[in-house]
């Protein structure tokens, strides 16, 4: 009975959290409120639970504060220098207004596929995408949803340099050394998932952007050649503008593959060098606004970090209650087709934990051997993982996603629906399709 009440409290807390944040209550207050719902329904020691909250809160800040702050500064410098506008103008002129959403999708897909952090992708692309969307007459609040199309789908492809691809592989090889699998195993399943998710996400965002432009009276004629009129006379050349952009990407890829440097350290160093290059190469354009630009970036970065940390604090409390253990054990004891078990298990764990990395680690640690014994192909299990874990990974309790929206000054109410479609709904559709194919082929 106590466990049942705890589970009900956990689910109620998750729903209430979404509702109150959607209504505009600040995230810190919201997470404390729903934490107490879990504390009361699980008969937890309230002070120990709040201490657990603080532990998760501080842990996120200590690990992500520099990433988010330097990334936010880089983004502000890209905008203030005119580098973002210069790059966006060229892309829009060459590819046309009608291909703006496709351009953003392709760039984010390539970046994440080769191992660029989702935060880096946002900080680098968002300033450029902001200008491109404005030129096309599309709403600013849709940008995170568009970026998430590529950021979400790319991990599903074979050989993607992403933890949701590498973790299942390492655990499978550890538990079943003779398993025939690799980072590119069962490629057909990954390609199917990628195509379906991209089609759903891109198709919806194109439809929504055009519909909103008509409603808000910002429609641009995309049948005529585009000739951009710059908003300022001192824009840096596109050649100068892309240098910091390219250097950041090159440093992240190079340092990640050639050194044992911590992933966050790589991101911070790359962003710092990129920011320094922007200041040096575009000193004329930035001028006297440098101090204010940096201050704005720091404030936005700190704000995003604190908001995300509060959600991680709530998630920490949630994972210590008996209801969470009951749900986890329930997931780990599904008795159905192994691929459907993977689909449901990874989605449920990701939704509750608010972390794809944590859920895929938990699932494969406990599930790999038993699912293979039930006849599942290790290769198919591996390839389905990045698709299945992506769906519920970006519910409103996902700290990283909330931090990104907050950095862009987009509320959950205004921007989350688009994120939901491209990074929750589309991946759930594609992973279910891929699972059905796996049932047929494997």
């Amino acid at each position: 009975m106590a466990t049942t009440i705890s589970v009900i409290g956990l689910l109620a807390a998750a729903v209430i959290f979404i509702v109150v944040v959607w209504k505009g209550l600040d995230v810190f207050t919201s997470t404390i409120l729903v934490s107490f719902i879990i504390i009361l329904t699980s008969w937890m020691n309230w002070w120990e639970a709040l201490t657990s909250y603080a532990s998760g809160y501080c842990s996120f800040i200590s690990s992500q504060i520099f990433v988010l702050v330097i990334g936010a500064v880089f983004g502000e410098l890209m905008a203030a220098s005119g580098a973002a506008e210069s790059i966006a103008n060229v892309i829009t002129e060459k590819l046309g207004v009608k291909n703006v959403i496709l351009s953003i999708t392709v760039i984010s897909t390539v970046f994440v596929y080769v191992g660029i952090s989702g935060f880096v992708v946002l900080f680098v692309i968002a300033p450029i995408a902001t200008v491109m969307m404005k030129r096309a007459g599309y709403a600013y609040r849709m940008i995170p949803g568009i970026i998430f199309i590529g950021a979400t789908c790319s991990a599903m492809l074979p050989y993607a340099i992403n933890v949701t691809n590498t973790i299942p592989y390492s655990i499978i090889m550890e538990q079943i050394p003779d398993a025939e699998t690799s980072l590119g195993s069962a490629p057909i399943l990954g390609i199917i998932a990628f195509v379906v998710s991209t089609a759903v996400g891109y198709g919806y965002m194109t439809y929504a952007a055009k519909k909103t432009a008509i409603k808000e009276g910002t429609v641009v004629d995309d049948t005529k050649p585009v000739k951009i009129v710059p908003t300022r006379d001192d824009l840096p050349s596109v050649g100068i503008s892309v240098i910091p952009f390219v250097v950041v990407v090159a440093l992240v890829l190079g340092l990640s593959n050639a050194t044992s440097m911590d992933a966050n350290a790589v991101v911070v160093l790359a962003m710092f060098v990129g920011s320094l290059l922007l200041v040096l190469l575009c000193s004329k354009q930035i001028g006297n606004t440098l101090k204010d630009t940096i201050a704005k970036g720091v404030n936005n970065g700190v704000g995003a970090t604190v908001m995300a940390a509060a959600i991680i604090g709530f998630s920490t409390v949630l994972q210590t209650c008996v209801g969470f253990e009951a749900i986890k054990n329930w997931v780990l004891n599904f008795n159905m087709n192994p691929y459907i078990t993977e689909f449901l298990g990874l989605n449920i764990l990701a939704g509750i934990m608010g972390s794809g990395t944590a859920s895929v680690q938990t699932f494969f640690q406990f599930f790999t051997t038993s699912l293979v014994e039930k006849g599942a192909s290790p290769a198919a299990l591996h390839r389905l993982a990045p698709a299945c874990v992506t769906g519920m990974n970006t519910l409103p309790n996902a700290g990283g996603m909330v931090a990104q929206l907050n950095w862009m000054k987009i509320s959950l109410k205004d921007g989350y629906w688009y994120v939901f479609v491209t990074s929750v709904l589309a991946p759930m559709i594609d992973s279910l399709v891929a699972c059905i194919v796996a049932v047929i082929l494997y």
Side-chain angles (χ1 to χ4, degrees), residues 21-22 27 68 118-119 122-123 126 140-148 300-301 303-305 307-308 311 394-420 422-423:
V21 170
W22 204 274
V27 172
L68 288 166
F119 279 125
L122 181 78
F123 293 137
Y140 171 76
R141 63 184 179 276
M142 294 182 174
I143 294 175
I146 298 171
I147 292 177
F148 266 109
N300 288 344
T305 306
M307 177 180 283
I311 294 175
T394 43
L395 293 181
N397 64 334
M401 179 274 297
V402 172
Q404 293 176 38
L405 287 179
N406 188 63
W407 173 67
M408 292 188 69
K409 300 301 181 184
I410 299 174
S411 67
L412 277 173
K413 183 177 181 180
D414 289 337
Y416 182 69
W417 169 249
Y418 307 108
V419 173
F420 175 80
T422 61
S423 69

Side-chain angles (χ1 to χ4, degrees), residues 313-394:
F314 163 57
S315 179
T316 304
V317 173
L318 181 152
Q319 292 177 48
T320 58
C321 75
V322 294
F324 173 76
E325 285 299 314
I327 292 177
K328 187 171 72 173
N329 291 332
W330 173 64
V331 169
L332 296 175
N333 286 286
F334 281 155
N335 186 24
M336 57 184 70
N337 180 279
Y339 304 122
I340 302 302
T341 295
E342 181 176 22
F343 169 77
L344 293 173
L346 283 175
N347 270 294
I348 291 172
L349 288 176
I352 293 174
M353 299 172 114
S355 167
T357 302
S359 57
V360 81
Q361 177 82 34
T362 301
F363 184 89
F364 275 84
Q365 198 69 49
F366 288 99
F367 246 127
T368 299
T369 303
S370 62
L371 291 183
V372 172
E373 288 175 351
K374 290 181 179 179
S377 161
L381 289 174
H382 172 209
R383 183 53 44 222
L384 290 172
C388 292
V389 80
T390 302
M392 303 286 277
N393 182 35
T394 43

Side-chain angles (χ1 to χ4, degrees), residues 152-230:
T152 298
C153 300
S154 56
M156 304 170 188
L157 290 170
Y159 298 104
I161 305 174
N162 187 285
V163 290
T164 58
N165 187 36
T166 58
I167 288 176
Y169 170 71
S170 62
I171 294 177
I172 289 172
M173 295 309 296
E174 177 185 321
Q175 297 188 8
I176 311 174
D178 58 346
E180 294 183 2
T181 185
S182 69
L183 289 178
S185 59
I188 293 177
L189 299 180
I191 293 171
I192 288 173
F194 173 81
V195 171
V196 172
S197 188
T198 302
V200 172
Y202 175 74
Y204 175 78
M205 290 308 301
T206 302
Y207 162 78
K210 291 181 178 179
K211 182 180 179 181
T212 302
I214 293 173
K215 182 178 179 180
E216 298 180 356
T218 57
V219 177
V220 173
D221 186 354
D222 61 9
T223 62
K224 297 179 180 179
V226 181
K227 182 59 181 175
I228 301 297
V229 178

Side-chain angles (χ1 to χ4, degrees), residues 88-276:
N89 287 349
V90 171
I91 295 175
T92 306
E93 281 190 347
K94 297 296 182 183
L95 299 181
V97 168
K98 63 182 179 181
N99 291 316
V100 160
I101 294 177
L102 178 62
S103 300
I104 299 170
T105 299
V106 171
I107 295 171
S108 59
T109 298
V110 173
F111 276 23
V112 175
Y113 179 75
V114 298
I116 304 297
S117 161
F119 279 125
V120 176
V121 172
L122 181 78
F123 293 137
V124 171
I125 295 180
I128 300 171
T130 299
V131 180
M132 292 172 66
M133 292 287 282
K134 185 176 182 180
R135 299 293 192 200
Y138 295 153
Y140 171 76
R141 63 184 179 276
M142 294 182 174
I143 294 175
I146 298 171
I147 292 177
F148 266 109
I149 299 172
T152 298
C153 300
S154 56
M156 304 170 188
L157 290 170
Y159 298 104
I161 305 174
N162 187 285
V163 290
T164 58
N165 187 36
T166 58
I167 288 176
Y169 170 71
S170 62
I171 294 177
I172 289 172
M173 295 309 296
E174 177 185 321
Q175 297 188 8
I176 311 174
D178 58 346
E180 294 183 2
T181 185
S182 69
L183 289 178
S185 59
I188 293 177
L189 299 180
I191 293 171
I192 288 173
F194 173 81
V195 171
V196 172
S197 188
T198 302
V200 172
Y202 175 74
Y204 175 78
M205 290 308 301
T206 302
Y207 162 78
K210 291 181 178 179
K211 182 180 179 181
T212 302
I214 293 173
K215 182 178 179 180
E216 298 180 356
T218 57
V219 177
V220 173
D221 186 354
D222 61 9
T223 62
K224 297 179 180 179
V226 181
K227 182 59 181 175
I228 301 297
V229 178
T231 60
R232 49 197 283 188
D233 298 327
D234 63 344
L235 284 181
S237 68
V238 69
I240 292 295
S241 299
V242 299
I243 291 176
F245 182 92
V246 171
V247 168
V248 168
V249 175
L251 281 175
V252 170
L253 288 177
L255 294 174
S256 296
N257 294 306
T259 72
S260 58
M261 188 180 296
D262 180 85
N264 282 350
V266 169
V267 172
V268 170
L269 179 59
M271 286 292 183
F272 175 78
V273 173
S275 298
L276 188 60

